Amino acid sequence: MYGFISRFRSLLALILPLAFFVAYLLFFYVHVVDVRVDVVILGEGVVFIDGQLFSSNSTLTFRLVKHGLIGFLEPLNLRVEAKPGRGWMIGGILFNNKTCTGGVVEVLGDGVLLVDFDRVISISYPGDLDFAGLDLDGDGLFDFIIEINLWNTLSAGGTANMTFNLDRGILYYGQCLWDLTPKYSEIEVYGYPEIWCGNKPWNEYMALDSSIPIPDRVSSLNDFYVTLSYNLSHNSQLSINLAVESWFTRDKFRFTRVFAGEVEVMIWLYWHNLSPAGFKIDELIVPIEVDGEIVNCTFEVWYANMNWHYIAFRILEPIKFGVVRFNYASFIEWVYEFIGDEFRNLYLEDVEVGVEFGDSTIKTVVINWILYDFSLQYTSERLLKS
């Protein structure tokens, strides 16, 4: 018996190192794969691989690190950028003003990489373009416009970027700005980075492929639900809000300004160290859905005469992140009762969602905002019940 145990131990002593060596090869061994790839871009653009800039038309040899014979490749990050107003082609598909990012999924051999790309549209400050249109269904019409919209910023150091992922339907906004100088020192905010649909009456950009038929007269519209799913972070002392905004004008398509008697409506779902213009005149309790539960939320109602009527509904308990759903009529009925019958004939121009910020006492302004969902659901009920 002792002899058998001794032989077993000797055999085990030989097998265990071999087993550990095989396991090392299969799972822990690190080796390098050299791959040659032809990169061709038709049009103007640039290619980045792991942050290194390459020419747009070249044959590249680079190294992939593989962990284990049956393990995984370390991700190789590729980014292809189009110059503003230009385009590039890959696989016969034309992309205009889009940036693609992706990681290697599989190496198929020299000259061939299988890459999983997300198509994104990106705008930056400083930069040539402050806005971009989103055609989500490929019908040639914009569903939304994204806009960095630092409308009251004369100058600033740092950068801001807004990126919409077309494959995931997610909007990302990040900024780190410092030494901001306002255009109008008497105005407390610097900008309103946003996404919107409809016809914004301050510029000539239109997104008319919306799920609601705007612009149209208030009297002709049905009610609709607004759904937002978002997460927001910022400087602890920053003055900021996250708000839905709409403009109501006498013309169906307005491009330059608003006039006396017309209306701006804001619905503040989140705010910090910031008050609306004017003064508080009322309170309104509105049932809204927050993370799947109906909550009776109290909104302060603020009013200011800014040549036009400015009306802001500021939620009493701010919602910094989550999924929020509410019907628009809950707020528009109050506006109608306040403004009077002339409000019925105004055109609802647009529906906007953005983060309004400002504070001259903070040297560096940092905002990170992710909008996972912004959707509008048209109903069969009239917008104005009375």
Side-chain angles (χ1 to χ4, degrees):
M1 184 68 179
Y2 175 77
F4 171 77
I5 293 175
S6 177
R7 286 194 299 272
F8 177 75
R9 287 178 175 173
S10 298
L11 182 62
L12 194 61
L14 292 173
I15 292 175
L16 281 178
L18 181 62
F20 281 120
F21 179 70
V22 171
Y24 168 74
L25 288 178
L26 291 178
F27 301 104
F28 304 105
Y29 171 64
V30 177
H31 63 286
V32 173
V33 180
D34 285 338
V35 181
R36 289 167 53 86
V37 175
D38 291 327
V39 176
V40 178
I41 296 181
L42 305 179
E44 296 192 34
V46 291
V47 177
F48 292 86
I49 296 180
D50 280 349
Q52 183 177 355
L53 176 64
F54 292 91
S55 62
S56 61
N57 294 277
S58 58
T59 299
L60 311 177
T61 299
F62 54 91
R63 293 189 163 186
L64 295 176
V65 179
K66 189 172 183 179
H67 294 263
L69 296 177
I70 63 171
F72 58 90
L73 288 169
E74 287 188 352
L76 180 74
N77 296 312
L78 285 76
R79 189 168 90 249
V80 185
E81 294 185 355
K83 292 185 177 180
R86 303 299 180 91
W88 56 279
M89 297 184 71
I90 184 169
I93 301 174
L94 176 65
F95 297 88
N96 287 315
N97 299 325
K98 294 182 178 67
T99 296
C100 285
T101 62
V104 172
V105 175
E106 185 178 357
V107 178
L108 303 180
D110 265 5
V112 183
L113 288 181
L114 180 61
V115 180
D116 185 19
F117 274 111
D118 278 345
R119 297 172 302 125
V120 301
I121 294 180
S122 187
I123 53 177
S124 297
Y125 171 89
D128 296 330
L129 288 179
D130 178 57
F131 74 98
L134 308 179
D135 179 9
L136 303 184
D137 52 12
D139 63 357
L141 300 174
F142 291 146
D143 299 85
F144 296 100
I145 302 289
I146 59 173
E147 186 177 6
I148 292 180
N149 193 22
L150 302 180
W151 64 271
N152 192 37
T153 302
L154 181 64
S155 63
T159 61
N161 176 267
M162 182 175 286
T163 297
F164 189 86
N165 189 310
L166 293 163
D167 294 313
R168 303 175 188 267
I170 300 176
L171 178 72
Y172 303 89
Y173 178 73
Q175 72 170 51
C176 181
L177 299 173
W178 56 82
D179 294 336
L180 289 91
T181 301
K183 291 180 181 178
Y184 311 102
S185 58
E186 69 276 12
I187 298 177
E188 296 181 359
V189 299
Y190 289 112
Y192 181 58
E194 60 174 327
I195 179 172
W196 50 272
C197 63
N199 177 73
K200 187 176 174 182
W202 294 97
N203 54 46
E204 297 182 356
Y205 317 138
M206 293 183 288
L208 303 183
D209 199 18
S210 170
S211 55
I212 62 174
I214 56 174
D216 204 353
R217 291 188 190 276
V218 173
S219 59
S220 300
L221 286 168
N222 290 348
D223 190 14
F224 55 91
Y225 283 92
V226 180
T227 300
L228 302 176
S229 175
Y230 60 89
N231 197 335
L232 176 64
S233 62
H234 56 81
N235 301 64
S236 60
Q237 299 303 314
L238 181 63
S239 299
I240 190 173
N241 68 33
L242 185 146
V244 176
E245 181 174 50
S246 289
W247 297 88
F248 299 82
T249 67
R250 296 186 183 91
D251 302 317
K252 186 171 184 177
F253 294 101
R254 181 74 62 74
F255 305 114
T256 55
R257 58 170 297 186
V258 295
F259 297 99
E262 298 178 330
V263 180
E264 174 187 6
V265 173
M266 297 192 78
I267 303 168
W268 292 25
L269 297 172
Y270 172 78
W271 57 275
H272 180 75
N273 285 348
L274 188 64
S275 294
F279 49 91
K280 178 184 172 182
I281 60 173
D282 199 359
E283 286 191 354
L284 179 67
I285 297 177
V286 179
I288 67 176
E289 186 178 314
V290 182
D291 293 331
E293 295 185 5
I294 300 299
V295 180
N296 289 321
C297 296
T298 300
F299 287 82
E300 301 172 333
V301 185
W302 291 63
Y303 175 81
N305 186 344
M306 304 175 67
N307 186 29
W308 62 86
H309 300 291
Y310 169 89
I311 299 169
F313 298 91
R314 185 174 75 164
I315 197 168
L316 207 58
E317 298 183 7
I319 305 170
K320 194 172 186 179
F321 57 87
V323 182
V324 179
R325 184 174 185 263
F326 62 89
N327 70 310
Y328 209 60
S330 301
F331 301 95
I332 299 307
E333 282 280 358
W334 190 98
V335 177
Y336 169 58
E337 292 176 7
F338 180 77
I339 299 295
D341 282 339
E342 62 267 31
F343 182 69
R344 300 176 63 91
N345 294 320
L346 297 182
Y347 287 89
L348 170 57
E349 289 285 286
D350 65 354
V351 180
E352 312 173 27
V353 180
V355 286
E356 189 176 40
F357 72 94
D359 191 338
S360 60
T361 65
I362 294 180
K363 181 177 177 61
T364 301
V365 179
V366 177
I367 298 173
N368 288 289
W369 173 40
I370 303 176
L371 184 63
Y372 300 99
D373 183 27
F374 169 34
S375 55
L376 307 173
Q377 180 185 356
Y378 207 53
T379 73
S380 58
E381 301 292 325
R382 302 302 292 173
L383 184 58
L384 295 180
K385 307 297 189 293
S386 53

